[in-house]
């Protein structure tokens, strides 16, 4: 699973055995994908945190031996440049990943971003993206592009998070609050 985000804390005890080789920092153009923001690590944990190790959380992948390919595009404040995101999508396609996760977005449609997403979809890669965190019903992108699995947020009590966007493009909800 390529996680295009703020990077990954490589020493995180629930993720240390879940990191695929080839991670890259598109923000700084080097191989240092260390997460200085925390968001990419949290997203990676929801996906692939080790199960049944009596520490941390269990990722939705459960006991499957899922590996995270950390592709850092975001700066310390969590902001990504569209050009870096597109380069990361194309890199993930080249690395032949099974899934690309984009827990980021904007309410602005982009032809060039959609084209990159469609390249991945056309290669058989499952593209997953966050529905948005504005608690609104408008479309966020890349989550609302055709072929993308749009994910909203849910709290531990199974109630949709107040900040989670909600519209007819949201396909599923996943844990999105207080993730270590």
């Amino acid at each position: 699973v390529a996680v295009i985000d703020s990077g990954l804390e490589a020493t995180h005890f629930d993720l240390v055995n879940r990191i695929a080789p080839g991670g890259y920092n598109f923000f700084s153009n080097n191989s240092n994908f260390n997460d200085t923001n925390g968001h990419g690590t949290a997203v990676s944990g929801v996906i692939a945190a080790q199960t049944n190790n009596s520490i941390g959380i269990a990722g939705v992948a459960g006991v499957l031996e899922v590996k995270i390919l950390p592709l850092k595009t975001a700066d310390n404040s969590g902001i990504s440049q569209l050009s870096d995101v597109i380069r990361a999508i194309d890199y993930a396609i080249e690395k032949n990943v099974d899934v690309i996760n984009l827990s980021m977005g904007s309410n602005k449609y982009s032809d060039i971003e959609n084209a990159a997403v469609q390249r991945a979809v056309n290669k058989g890669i499952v593209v997953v993206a966050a529905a948005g965190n504005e608690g609104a019903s408008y479309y966020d992108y890349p989550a609302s592009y055709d072929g993308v699995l749009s994910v909203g947020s849910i709290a531990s009590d199974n109630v949709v998070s107040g900040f989670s966007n909600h519209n007819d493009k949201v396909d599923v909800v996943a844990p999105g609050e207080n993730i270590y």
Side-chain angles (χ1 to χ4, degrees), residues 113-150:
E113 181 181 50
N114 185 34
V117 167
Q118 296 313 313
R119 284 192 295 276
V121 170
N122 290 335
K123 290 285 189 176
I125 298 170
V126 176
V127 179
V128 181
N133 293 336
E134 294 77 30
S137 61
Y138 59 75
Y139 295 147
D140 224 26
Y141 299 95
S144 296
Y145 295 133
D146 289 342
V148 175
L149 181 63
S150 176

Side-chain angles (χ1 to χ4, degrees), residues 18-24 33 67-71 91 95:
R18 300 291 190 149
I19 303 170
Y24 195 76
F33 56 78
K67 299 287 185 182
I68 299 295
L69 178 65
L71 302 179
Y91 182 86
K95 290 292 187 181

Side-chain angles (χ1 to χ4, degrees), residues 38-132:
H39 190 264
T41 301
V43 168
S44 296
V46 169
I47 296 167
Q50 286 187 248
T51 302
N52 296 328
N53 61 356
S54 299
I55 52 176
I57 64 170
V60 296
V63 297
L64 297 175
E65 287 298 318
V66 171
K67 299 287 185 182
I68 299 295
L69 178 65
L71 302 179
K72 183 173 183 166
T73 61
D75 62 17
N76 293 346
S77 64
I79 305 297
S80 294
Q81 297 297 317
L82 183 57
S83 59
D84 290 338
V85 173
I86 291 167
R87 289 190 312 137
I89 291 170
D90 287 335
Y91 182 86
I93 293 169
E94 289 173 20
K95 290 292 187 181
N96 200 31
V97 300
D98 297 309
V99 178
I100 295 174
N101 185 88
L102 294 149
S103 291
M104 60 178 69
S106 165
N107 63 353
K108 293 180 176 25
Y109 175 94
S110 165
D111 284 328
I112 59 173
E113 181 181 50
N114 185 34
V117 167
Q118 296 313 313
R119 284 192 295 276
V121 170
N122 290 335
K123 290 285 189 176
I125 298 170
V126 176
V127 179
V128 181

Side-chain angles (χ1 to χ4, degrees), residues 27-48:
F27 177 73
S28 297
N29 292 312
N30 61 42
S31 60
N32 180 6
F33 56 78
N34 185 51
D35 189 355
T36 55
N37 175 278
H39 190 264
T41 301
V43 168
S44 296
V46 169
I47 296 167

